[in-house]
Every structure is written in C-alpha cells, then in structure tokens.
Amino acid sequence: MNSTLQGLLTLTHFIQEVHNQQQVWRSHPESQLIRGFVEVEVCRFSNSKAEKKSVLAAFKKTVAEFNSEFEDDSQKDAHEFLSCVLDKLRSLSVDLQSAAGDMGISYTCPVNAHITFQMLSTRTCQGCGMQSMREEDYMNLSLDLVPGGTVSQCLQEYLKESQLEYRCECDAEESTQQMSFLTLPNVLILQLKRFRFTESFNLEKVDSPILLSRELMVKPASSITKQTMTRYSLVSIVSHLGSTAHSGHYICDGAHREQKPGDMTDRWLMYNDKDVSETTGASVCYLRQQTAYMLFYEKQNS
C-alpha cells in the first residue's frame, strides 16, 4: 500500500487536479477516499509515526469498504491495490459532477483527466477481410516481458498483431487482432507481468531483466489521428523484491519533485516503508531491471 501510494504521489499534475477539485469533494459524504488520499499526502511531511499509522489505517479501511479483498493484513498485490483505488476514485465522478452542478461549478475527475485512456481493438478476418473495431477505456496496460528487451519492446509486443480463433460470417475461422492507442494519457502506467502460472497452475515469480527506459515514445493509431510521437518520462517505479510470488516486499523509487525550475540534478528517493533514502534515476533503472513491477510515466510538454 505504501509503495503504491508513493508512486501515485509522484504524479504532479494528477495530484494538482485532486487539489483543484477540493471545493467539490471536501464536503461530499461519499468522497472519503479522496479526503483520505490527500491526508496521506499531507502526513508524509509529519514527524509523528502515530499520525502516519492512523492515516494509513483509515485509508486502508476505506479501500476495504470498496473491496473486501483488502480487509485483512495478509500480503496483497500492488497492482490490484492500485487498480482498486483508481476504480473507486473514478466511480465517484458521476455523483461529484452532480454535486458540482448543484453548486454552480464543474467537476473534473483526476483519474479520467490524467490517467484514463482509450484503446482500439481491431479484429480482421483472414478469409473475407472484414474488420470489427471496439473502443475500451484503460487505466494501465499489463505487458508480457521480453527478456533482455526494453520497456518499449514490451509495449510493442503488446501492440503487435496476433492470431485469433474466431468464426466469421464467411465461415473462415482465423482472424487477427491488434491493439492501438486511440488516445494518450498524461500519465501512462505500465505493469510488467512478473507473476505467471506454470503448466501445473502454480504461480511463479519471473525475474527476467528488462532495460528500464527513462524516456518512452508512444504513437496513437495512425488511421485515427495524424498526431506524431508523444514523449513520456519515467517518474516512479514500484518493485517487488523477493524470489517467489507468495512472499517478498514492495518498494517504490520516485523522482524528487521539489527541485527548482532548471535544476538538472538526477535526484530520486527510495521509499522502503518507513525508510527513505536518496538515490538517482540512473541508479534505479540499473538496480530494478529484474524487480520493476509497475512503471509510472508522465507525458512531457512538447
């Protein structure tokens, strides 16, 4: 929970959007998750261990009310926790938009504005060539590992055309399917699939190294828009340390966001529960090649 929240707290524009909507959510009874998230952000700078424990416990309780999976204290998956938190924040948008309308103002959902994006799935029959397209909302992508490859190669593998068994109206039984970006988010969250089931259905940890890219170039579907490549910068990494899928420890490395404009120093912080230490982005990308689990990229201003 700590590592996932630290990852989210490095997202400058997402956090700013949360604060921008304060007039709407601060008094709405259903917005305890947003209020709890802001309390977590504020108490990071407190020296009181008791205060931090209380705030985190309250946040966990709120998340558990939305998803009972997080009620107990056994080990959970960081990606599932992230998805749960973002789903809940997003689900509040309808009520908060209505509340904002009653106040004569508008509400912008921070998740929809900065993290949610649309993917286009195109299925093509190999017999008659008929295409079927489907648009779908995503908040992150889960990528298969390309051992020894880069993050960009893992993403390209996800976007690559694949074979699909599908019976078309023309009676052909083979089709292809391809995913492409319809829109691009301000924050692109990528999960690297470090856990997989064996043939005997045992869950195992995959420690194949991936070259972690400080920058990532992404292009939306060329048939939909003429937009050129968009550049993303890596701002935080959640890593799973441990040799098995049933044990281990999550940590977060995040870019230090309190630098002055024009400061080119490569300052990052490593969050390991209560211990925080200084590091660099270059060091993090080298050390986390076999353990990186979730990558948070922010869109660069053109």
Side-chain angles (χ1 to χ4, degrees):
M1 182 172 75
N2 177 57
S3 297
T4 302
L5 291 174
Q6 293 289 8
L8 284 175
L9 290 170
T10 61
L11 306 177
T12 309
H13 299 297
F14 170 73
I15 297 300
Q16 186 58 54
E17 193 70 70
V18 171
H19 287 287
N20 290 346
Q21 308 307 315
Q22 182 175 346
Q23 187 177 352
V24 182
W25 56 252
R26 66 183 173 188
S27 58
H28 195 276
E30 297 300 315
S31 300
Q32 62 265 39
L33 189 72
I34 303 181
R35 290 192 293 272
F37 181 66
V38 172
E39 288 173 4
V40 168
E41 181 203 7
V42 171
C43 86
R44 281 192 306 165
F45 305 102
S46 168
N47 290 322
S48 170
K49 186 176 178 179
E51 179 188 357
K52 292 183 177 184
K53 187 173 181 179
S54 173
V55 168
L56 285 169
F59 188 82
K60 178 180 177 297
K61 182 180 179 183
T62 302
V63 173
E65 289 172 359
F66 178 60
N67 187 335
S68 60
E69 170 75 14
F70 299 102
E71 283 182 350
D72 60 40
D73 293 327
S74 61
Q75 177 166 308
K76 308 297 179 185
D77 182 81
H79 179 248
E80 291 178 6
F81 181 77
L82 172 69
S83 298
C84 178
V85 170
L86 295 181
D87 274 334
K88 180 57 178 175
L89 291 175
R90 196 175 176 216
S91 71
L92 295 171
S93 61
V94 174
D95 284 347
L96 291 178
Q97 283 170 354
S98 177
D102 294 340
M103 300 165 68
I105 57 177
S106 62
Y107 174 76
T108 299
C109 172
V111 177
N112 284 338
H114 296 279
I115 295 177
T116 304
F117 56 98
Q118 285 73 47
M119 296 293 290
L120 180 69
S121 174
T122 304
R123 188 181 68 235
T124 306
C125 174
Q126 295 297 282
C128 65
M130 188 177 76
Q131 288 191 328
S132 173
M133 297 183 178
R134 186 179 78 251
E135 298 176 16
E136 193 172 350
D137 284 355
Y138 283 76
M139 290 183 290
N140 58 82
L141 294 180
S142 296
L143 309 181
D144 289 321
L145 302 182
V146 178
T150 64
V151 175
S152 181
Q153 287 173 315
C154 294
L155 180 58
Q156 291 308 312
E157 190 69 20
Y158 180 89
L159 299 173
K160 190 172 70 175
E161 189 175 64
S162 60
Q163 298 298 314
L164 182 72
E165 286 190 15
Y166 176 80
R167 189 178 186 88
C168 180
E169 293 176 359
C170 73
D171 284 339
E173 296 185 354
E174 290 188 359
S175 295
T176 60
Q177 181 170 300
Q178 187 162 24
M179 302 292 291
S180 54
F181 286 97
L182 198 56
T183 63
L184 290 173
N186 291 331
V187 174
L188 180 60
I189 303 174
L190 302 176
Q191 177 209 16
L192 299 178
K193 293 183 180 178
R194 292 240 169 246
F195 306 105
R196 69 184 176 196
F197 283 100
T198 64
E199 291 182 359
S200 55
F201 298 102
N202 291 317
L203 190 63
E204 67 177 6
K205 172 82 178 288
V206 183
D207 59 4
S208 300
I210 297 297
L211 296 174
L212 300 176
S213 317
R214 299 289 295 275
E215 292 193 344
L216 189 64
M217 303 296 291
V218 184
K219 186 179 182 181
S222 57
S223 60
I224 304 299
T225 175
K226 298 298 184 182
Q227 185 178 344
T228 57
M229 300 285 274
T230 296
R231 186 187 303 271
Y232 285 88
S233 290
L234 183 66
V235 294
S236 59
I237 301 173
V238 172
S239 299
H240 180 269
L241 310 183
S243 58
T244 76
H246 303 287
S247 62
H249 180 57
Y250 288 107
I251 65 169
C252 176
D253 298 284
H256 189 52
R257 312 296 270 185
E258 296 181 3
Q259 298 167 206
K260 297 177 181 178
D263 186 353
M264 300 300 290
T265 54
D266 185 26
R267 295 183 64 198
W268 280 48
L269 296 175
M270 181 183 74
Y271 304 97
N272 185 352
D273 287 347
K274 64 181 177 62
D275 298 318
V276 180
S277 57
E278 282 199 28
T279 183
T280 65
S283 175
V284 167
C285 286
Y286 175 73
L287 292 173
R288 310 300 181 215
Q289 292 183 48
Q290 291 182 281
T291 57
Y293 184 49
M294 292 193 295
L295 308 173
F296 296 77
Y297 283 91
E298 277 190 337
K299 184 189 290 186
Q300 289 189 7
N301 295 327
S302 54

